[in-house]
Amino acid sequence: MKGVKILNDMYKMIFKRKSFHQFPQTEENITEKELAKINEKITQLTPLVKDITVKVKIVPATEIINPRYAEYCLLFYSEKKDNYLTNIGYLGEQLDLYLPSLNIGTLWLGMSQPQELTYEGLDYVIMIAIKKVPEDMFRKNMFKSERKEITEIWQNYNYLEIANIVRFAPSACNSQPWFVESSEKELKVYRYKKPGISVIVPEEKITYFNKIDIGIFLLVLEVCLKKHNFSYQRKTYVDNNTVEEMTLIAKYQLKSKIM
């Protein structure tokens, strides 16, 4: 039953969470008890790739350039192995969907850097800035957010109830670099690099961040599949591609709904 509650809580947070591009300057702070809960949650994260060593370190935001009024930053460090960026996105989004349940706002920060670029022999990847935020400042209607239409990210008409939720996964510069081919028993997930896309992130960094983004998307997709009582078998593919428009990332063989 604990697993069901965790799933339900994560699903609810898809609708509540938002990216706080500027945190409110409020007096309420994250408590020591809440920090302890975050550290406990970090120990419970499920990786996408099991044989990659990852560490998450919590530091005061004052140690980071441009903290945007955050209180703390969650720093992600990793071995550089195949799909390590996708793995970080998958892990980090579990925290991103947990923290709003504590009324802690989040923001994935790609262009800021910590003082320590290595930690316990691992390389820095990305961070999530966090701050205590009043309940009423979280998202009230997710469907008013700016996202691509379903037809832009989802081919065919299978599982549109899931497609309509996963399209709200966060991504660098709201680039939404994913595309799904759906059939009755399978979903193929691609990292999609739109030709000629113009974003504020330097060209050499956009693929880096989009590999993290696709990990975020896979996590949100799996939460939605489980919430809709689908079981699945997932196969992932090594993402070494930086040139092609479509890069296959994962296949989900869908089984009958769990009753």
Side-chain angles (χ1 to χ4, degrees), residues 39-81:
N39 275 309
E40 181 181 9
K41 185 67 177 179
I42 288 170
T43 66
Q44 299 169 351
L45 299 178
T46 302
L48 180 71
V49 185
K50 293 182 179 180
D51 65 346
I52 300 178
T53 302
V54 172
K55 297 286 183 182
V56 184
K57 184 180 182 182
I58 304 177
V59 302
T62 51
E63 294 185 12
I64 309 297
I65 299 174
N66 188 25
R68 304 179 188 228
Y69 303 114
E71 291 180 65
Y72 295 94
C73 290
L74 309 179
L75 309 181
F76 292 82
Y77 296 85
S78 176
E79 289 182 283
K80 289 186 174 179
K81 291 184 175 180

Side-chain angles (χ1 to χ4, degrees), residues 28-175:
E28 190 175 6
N29 296 316
I30 298 171
T31 65
E32 290 298 322
K33 184 176 181 180
E34 288 169 334
L35 285 174
K37 286 183 177 181
I38 296 170
N39 275 309
E40 181 181 9
K41 185 67 177 179
I42 288 170
T43 66
Q44 299 169 351
L45 299 178
T46 302
L48 180 71
V49 185
K50 293 182 179 180
D51 65 346
I52 300 178
T53 302
V54 172
K55 297 286 183 182
V56 184
K57 184 180 182 182
I58 304 177
V59 302
T62 51
E63 294 185 12
I64 309 297
I65 299 174
N66 188 25
R68 304 179 188 228
Y69 303 114
E71 291 180 65
Y72 295 94
C73 290
L74 309 179
L75 309 181
F76 292 82
Y77 296 85
S78 176
E79 289 182 283
K80 289 186 174 179
K81 291 184 175 180
D82 288 340
N83 289 352
Y84 79 98
L85 294 173
T86 308
N87 186 58
I88 288 294
Y90 189 89
L91 290 167
E93 189 58 16
Q94 291 170 59
L95 290 170
D96 194 31
L97 293 181
Y98 168 70
L99 293 165
S101 69
L102 304 176
N103 286 335
I104 294 175
T106 63
L107 176 66
W108 286 87
L109 274 179
M111 302 307 288
S112 298
Q113 286 196 334
Q115 294 178 2
E116 294 182 276
L117 294 178
T118 60
Y119 177 64
E120 296 188 4
L122 305 175
D123 293 309
Y124 169 72
V125 178
I126 199 168
M127 71 179 73
I128 298 177
I130 63 174
K131 189 184 191 303
K132 193 75 173 182
V133 174
E135 174 84 35
D136 61 3
M137 296 193 73
F138 285 89
R139 184 174 282 138
K140 297 178 179 62
N141 187 344
M142 178 180 74
F143 296 100
K144 290 184 178 181
S145 304
E146 184 180 347
R147 290 295 190 277
K148 293 177 180 178
E149 297 296 328
I150 292 177
T151 53
E152 294 182 77
I153 70 160
W154 201 274
Q155 186 180 72
N156 301 325
Y157 296 97
N158 303 285
Y159 313 111
L160 294 185
E161 72 279 15
I162 292 172
N164 194 38
I165 303 303
V166 298
R167 67 192 181 96
F168 291 95
S171 60
C173 302
N174 201 20
S175 56

